[in-house]
């Protein structure tokens, strides 16, 4: 094999990022893209919360409100939170199992670019006749051609393309975890974050496939006048709800699983204790993953599927509370008697527990099918799922951000600003959403763009909007922290600034492209901590120092994603007046995509070697 290590140095920065297949750089790309979508979706929430600040406001129209709510939910779930977890997974997962990269670096890059092009396709809907407006669930007949705007076509194609990217990335994670673990890293020594990413990835495989099928059917209905979901022509609207929620309920767990993982890493690290009940934790997440597919019909109690079905699904739903309870107690017992350090990451991790429990309790309330007729489609539901989504998932993300930041960027985030950020965010969150429980119970419906005076809802809605402003202020404090720390913070050069337990903290900072000069030998759960107690604090190598083989970068993932984007736009443009025929667009897109695939198959890409001497000198420089 020819060494190309020398000519990789000459790439321009832009070319380097467009062609990278390094999991650490792809992680940064996910982090940036996910953050942008998060901020955008957050601003949308602020806009429609302003509309709801007082009765009969005329800040935005009902149509705009629908578009904003739909885009807010869709962006948050698919294009903000998922990629942010993928950012951490990409960065940390190979390190935690002692690997040099993910199993298929090329596919990893393709997954990112497909996700991004799908996201951009969804976002440009605003400029082509309006954003999707039928809610993030796109229930038919609201989403049919008869009632829904052209935005729904963007929803269908955008999610299809970004979902495809998510799917192949998930497969990549599964193979990586199963196949690339360092010697001694048995499944029952796998860090919990890896476990939860493994289960998340499997849930993606089993949930995104029905979603893809559903979206395909909806596309056929909308673009080619099929009638799967058109009742007047023999279609069935309830069919959509089944397909959607068979995907949709597991989707919630796809998002919350990695948060469980992060909390299970952060809590032991800052309690200076091993995770209490590791084995029960693994089985709890496995059981939750399985059960998440058994409960979709709790979203349909009010549809009229009958008392037997409702009872079965109500009981199945409540069963999830058992493994969830196990996890919560394990986190508490880990903290119990530990040497706690209340860093910002630990603030987020510790506060995750009570808010997540509150979301779980209202979940059990909603699971009682008869009473759900009272809660259904009210703000009680909005409050419930934001306690899970923001009070659980987002807090988990932020814990992960503060925890892994020094490894990713070579400096810590400022702790004082971090803790101020935490309190402003946390108080803002409760102000926004706690009160929505009560709003819901007194009858405020969700997805309604205004309300009347004199129903006792004015003050509570006002408070809720103030809370949303507070959360925005908090995010601004976070941005200031990021900029301030980049300029002022001391460089972290030590490997393990938190005195942590897992393998990612045994690598040099900054991490060289090959991660580990020598694959580590794993001797226990919490391998790094084990070596601190029983060894010399360094991982023992499992192989002699030698040349390291690395994959080449490639522009093909980027090009293939542009192909998908053009093709997707082609399918949407059937109902637009464009100067170019949809068939031409589809053809160009298809040729670009499949051409890229063919090029990849025909090319002999051997990668390159980093010579032993180079590795030695790089290691010396870093340590
Ligand atoms: C952090 C600030 C946030 C605020 C102020 C906020 C506010 C809201 C409000 C008021 C609604 C209800 C609109 C209605 O039904 O009338 C809503 C809907 C929704 N939100 Fe959020 N939200 C926030 C964060 C998030 C996050 C982080 C996620 C997901 C990761 C999320 C996911 C959703 C979803 C899925 C819907 C339902 C959309 C639909 O009904 O189609 N939200 N949000
Ligand atoms: Cu559900």
């Amino acid at each position: 094999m020819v060494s190309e290590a020398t000519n990789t140095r000459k790439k321009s920065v832009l070319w380097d990022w467009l062609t990278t297949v390094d999991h650490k750089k792809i992680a940064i790309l996910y982090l940036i893209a996910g953050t942008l979508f998060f901020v955008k979706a957050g601003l949308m929430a602020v806009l429609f919360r302003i509309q709801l600040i007082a009765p009969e406001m005329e800040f935005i129209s009902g149509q705009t409100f629908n578009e904003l709510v739909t885009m807010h939910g869709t962006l948050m779930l698919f294009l903000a939170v998922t990629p942010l977890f993928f950012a951490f997974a990409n960065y940390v997962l190979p390190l935690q199992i002692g690997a040099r990269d993910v199993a298929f670096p090329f596919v990893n890059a393709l997954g990112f670019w497909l996700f991004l092009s799908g996201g951009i396709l969804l976002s440009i809907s605003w400029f082509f006749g309006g954003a999707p407006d039928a809610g993030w669930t796109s229930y038919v007949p609201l989403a049919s051609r008869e009632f829904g705007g052209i935005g729904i076509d963007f929803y269908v194609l955008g999610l299809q393309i970004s979902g495809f990217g998510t799917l192949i990335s998930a497969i990549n994670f599964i193979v990586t975890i199963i196949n690339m673990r360092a010697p001694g890293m048995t499944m029952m020594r796998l860090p919990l974050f890896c476990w939860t990413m493994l289960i998340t990835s499997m849930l993606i495989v089993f949930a995104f496939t029905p979603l893809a099928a559903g979206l395909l059917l909806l596309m056929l209905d909308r673009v080619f006048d099929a009638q799967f979901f058109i009742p007047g022509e023999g279609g069935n609207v309830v069919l959509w709800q089944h397909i959607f929620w068979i995907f949709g309920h597991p989707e919630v767990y796809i998002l919350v699983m990695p948060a469980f993982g992060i909390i299970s890493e952060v809590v032991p690290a800052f309690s200076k204790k091993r995770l209490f009940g590791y084995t029960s934790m693994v089985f709890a997440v496995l059981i939750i993953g399985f059960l998440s597919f058994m409960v979709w019909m709790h979203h349909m109690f009010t549809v009229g599927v009958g008392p037997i079905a409702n009872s079965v699904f109500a009981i199945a739903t409540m069963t999830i509370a058992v493994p969830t309870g196990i996890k919560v107690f394990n986190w508490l017992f880990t903290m119990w008697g530990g040497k706690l350090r209340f860093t910002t990451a630990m603030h987020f991790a510790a506060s995750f527990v009570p808010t997540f429990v509150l979301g779980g309790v209202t979940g059990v309330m909603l699971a009682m099918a008869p009473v759900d007729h009272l809660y259904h489609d009210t703000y009680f539901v909005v409050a419930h799922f934001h306690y899970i989504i923001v009070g659980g998932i987002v807090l988990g993300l932020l814990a992960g951000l503060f925890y892994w930041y020094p490894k990713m960027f070579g400096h810590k985030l400022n702790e004082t600003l971090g803790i101020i950020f935490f309190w402003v965010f946390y108080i803002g969150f409760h102000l926004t959403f706690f009160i929505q429980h009560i709003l819901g119970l007194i009858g405020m419906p969700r997805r309604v763009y205004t309300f009347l005076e004199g129903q006792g809802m004015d003050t509570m809605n006002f408070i809720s909007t103030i809370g949303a402003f507070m959360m925005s202020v908090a995010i601004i404090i976070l941005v200031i922290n990021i900029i301030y720390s980049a300029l002022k913070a001391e460089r972290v050069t030590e490997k393990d600034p938190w005195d942590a337990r897992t393998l990612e903290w045994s690598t040099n900072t900054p991490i060289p492209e090959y991660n580990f000069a020598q694959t580590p030998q794993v001797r226990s759960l919490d391998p790094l901590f084990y070596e601190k107690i029983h060894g010399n604090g360094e991982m023992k190598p499992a192989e002699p120092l030698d040349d390291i083989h690395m994959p080449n970068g490639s522009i093909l993932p980027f090009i293939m994603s542009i192909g998908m984007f053009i093709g997707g736009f082609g399918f949407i443009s059937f109902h637009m007046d464009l100067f170019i025929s949809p068939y031409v667009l589809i053809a160009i897109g298809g040729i670009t995509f499949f051409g890229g695939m063919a090029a990849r198959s025909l090319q002999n890409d051997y990668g390159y070697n980093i010579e032993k001497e180079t590795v030695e000198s790089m290691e010396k420089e870093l340590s």
Side-chain angles (χ1 to χ4, degrees):
M1 275 169 226
V2 191
S3 164
E4 293 175 24
T6 40
N7 63 19
T8 53
R9 297 243 173 273
K10 280 181 279 177
K11 289 177 191 165
S12 79
V13 178
L14 180 67
W15 184 254
D16 186 34
W17 284 93
L18 291 183
T19 59
T20 185
V21 295
D22 179 350
H23 71 100
K24 299 181 285 298
K25 286 192 176 153
I26 293 175
I28 307 283
L29 289 173
Y30 268 118
L31 191 68
I32 294 170
T35 306
L36 291 178
F37 282 120
F38 186 90
V39 168
K40 192 172 151 197
L43 286 175
M44 291 175 177
V46 171
L47 287 180
F48 63 71
R49 262 323 316 172
I50 295 177
Q51 165 68 21
L52 291 170
I53 193 170
E56 296 181 78
M57 282 282 284
E58 284 174 35
F59 179 62
I60 49 177
S61 70
Q63 174 62 24
T64 311
F65 182 91
N66 288 347
E67 292 174 352
L68 285 175
V69 170
T70 304
M71 284 297 268
H72 162 76
T74 312
L75 288 184
M76 280 292 188
L77 296 174
F78 291 98
L79 302 169
V81 171
T82 309
L84 287 172
F85 280 126
F86 272 24
F88 293 134
N90 252 307
Y91 205 92
V92 174
L93 206 144
L95 298 174
Q96 281 195 330
I97 60 172
R100 294 229 161 85
D101 205 325
V102 291
F104 310 116
F106 181 92
V107 174
N108 200 17
L110 182 61
F112 169 75
W113 292 112
L114 282 177
F115 142 75
L116 186 65
S117 59
I120 294 175
L121 185 60
L122 183 62
S123 301
I124 59 169
S125 56
W126 293 101
F127 309 108
F128 290 92
D133 53 2
W136 86 280
T137 54
S138 269
Y139 275 1
V140 279
L142 257 188
S144 66
R145 176 144 302 285
E146 192 179 352
F147 299 109
I150 180 123
I152 318 263
D153 292 329
F154 283 92
Y155 172 97
V156 170
L157 270 306
L159 288 192
Q160 194 72 284
I161 293 171
S162 80
F164 188 51
T166 305
L167 187 62
I168 59 176
S169 307
I171 294 171
N172 206 350
F173 288 140
I174 297 177
V175 181
T176 305
I177 297 172
I178 303 278
N179 243 1
M180 312 259 296
R181 283 167 290 131
M185 173 69 77
T186 60
M187 286 308 272
M188 289 319 272
R189 285 179 183 169
L190 207 55
L192 246 133
F193 181 63
C194 296
W195 261 115
T196 54
M197 277 315 299
L198 176 64
I199 296 167
T200 297
S201 305
M202 301 206 284
L203 298 190
I204 288 176
V205 171
F206 289 117
F208 272 59
T209 29
L211 174 69
L215 290 173
L216 179 70
L217 298 185
L218 190 56
M219 183 184 85
L220 292 176
D221 266 17
R222 293 190 50 95
V223 178
F224 299 108
D225 296 319
Q227 48 248 315
F228 290 101
F229 305 123
I230 308 202
E233 294 164 41
N236 186 339
V237 290
V238 180
L239 175 64
W240 170 263
Q241 295 195 21
H242 282 295
I243 298 176
F244 186 86
W245 287 113
I246 285 171
F247 145 77
H249 189 81
E251 166 68 10
V252 181
Y253 288 85
I254 289 169
L255 301 176
V256 80
M257 278 285 168
F260 293 160
I262 293 177
I263 303 302
S264 307
E265 302 290 312
V266 172
V267 167
F270 295 116
S271 307
K272 233 177 170 19
K273 268 176 73 190
R274 65 179 283 183
L275 183 69
F276 185 91
Y278 172 87
T279 315
S280 65
M281 213 63 164
V282 170
F283 281 98
V285 280
L286 276 169
I287 292 168
I288 293 176
F290 174 76
L291 283 178
S292 71
F293 283 92
M294 303 294 142
V295 301
W296 78 91
M297 233 152 70
H298 63 213
H299 297 269
M300 301 166 68
F301 284 152
T302 58
V303 168
V305 280
I308 309 269
N310 277 1
S311 314
V312 170
F313 282 91
I315 291 165
T317 304
M318 291 177 212
T319 313
I320 297 190
V322 178
T324 307
I326 294 178
K327 287 205 321 294
V328 169
F329 281 108
N330 282 348
W331 290 319
L332 293 178
F333 287 141
T334 309
M335 285 186 250
W336 189 275
K339 234 165 85 202
L340 303 185
R341 277 180 293 163
F342 277 100
T343 58
T344 311
M346 185 63 168
H347 271 75
F348 281 108
S351 62
F352 169 100
V353 179
T355 38
F356 180 71
V357 168
L358 232 157
V361 169
T362 52
V364 177
M365 290 168 73
L366 289 164
M368 299 175 206
V371 232
D372 187 52
H373 285 78
L374 174 66
Y375 307 128
H376 185 73
D377 269 349
T378 68
Y379 259 75
F380 189 85
V381 175
V382 179
H384 152 71
F385 71 72
H386 282 88
Y387 265 77
I388 299 288
I389 278 175
V390 184
I393 297 167
V394 175
L395 293 184
L397 270 172
L398 292 169
L401 182 72
F402 276 82
Y403 180 56
W404 282 312
Y405 206 85
K407 201 35 93 185
M408 294 176 83
F409 296 103
H411 61 267
K412 288 188 181 176
L413 287 172
N414 182 284
E415 283 287 312
T416 314
L417 281 173
I419 286 171
I420 297 173
F421 161 57
F422 164 79
W423 282 110
V424 178
F425 188 82
Y426 200 60
I427 296 171
F429 156 73
H430 282 291
L431 279 184
T432 314
F433 295 111
F434 187 79
I435 215 142
Q436 291 183 0
H437 292 109
I438 305 164
L439 273 174
L441 292 180
I442 66 172
M444 175 150 163
R446 68 187 283 204
R447 291 173 176 163
V448 169
Y449 85 107
T450 192
F451 57 96
L452 291 176
E453 220 175 327
Q455 298 176 304
M457 296 174 183
D458 307 11
T459 321
M460 285 191 265
N461 269 307
F462 180 77
I463 294 174
S464 184
T465 302
I466 298 302
F469 280 128
M470 260 183 92
M471 280 194 275
S472 322
V473 172
I475 297 292
I476 294 171
I477 299 175
L478 175 63
V479 173
I480 293 174
N481 193 347
I482 290 172
I483 298 171
Y484 174 83
S485 306
L487 299 175
K488 287 274 155 58
E490 250 177 72
R491 298 281 115 191
V492 169
T493 44
E494 71 253 56
K495 295 175 173 179
D496 180 21
W498 302 119
D499 188 15
R501 314 173 72 85
T502 35
L503 274 184
E504 74 269 32
W505 304 103
S506 73
T507 54
N508 284 314
T509 322
I511 311 180
E513 54 187 321
Y514 48 78
N515 293 353
F516 299 90
Q518 288 160 284
T519 304
Q521 173 73 46
V522 175
R523 299 203 287 169
S524 161
L525 184 68
D526 289 346
L528 181 60
F529 202 75
Y530 182 88
E531 298 300 334
K532 286 182 200 168
I533 294 186
H534 298 278
N536 62 358
E538 301 264 334
M539 296 307 299
K540 290 188 194 321
E543 58 176 15
L545 191 68
D546 205 348
D547 294 359
I548 295 175
H549 181 245
M550 300 295 296
N552 279 326
S554 170
I555 191 66
L556 288 176
F558 182 72
I559 290 177
M560 287 165 73
S561 306
I562 292 181
M564 273 282 200
F565 181 90
I566 296 173
F569 191 75
F571 278 103
I572 297 167
S573 68
F574 274 104
H575 292 280
M576 285 194 292
D577 273 330
L578 280 190
F579 58 92
I580 185 166
S581 141
Y583 294 104
V584 176
L585 286 173
I586 294 171
I588 297 177
I591 290 168
T592 315
F593 182 78
F594 290 106
M597 246 171 151
R600 176 67 184 171
S601 319
L602 297 174
Q603 169 191 44
N604 284 325
D605 182 357
Y606 296 119
Y608 64 95
N609 268 4
I610 306 178
E611 257 117 52
K612 188 174 158 185
E613 292 70 37
T614 322
V615 176
E616 266 169 351
S617 66
M618 276 172 98
E619 289 294 302
K620 203 169 291 152
E621 208 176 294
L622 288 172
S623 57

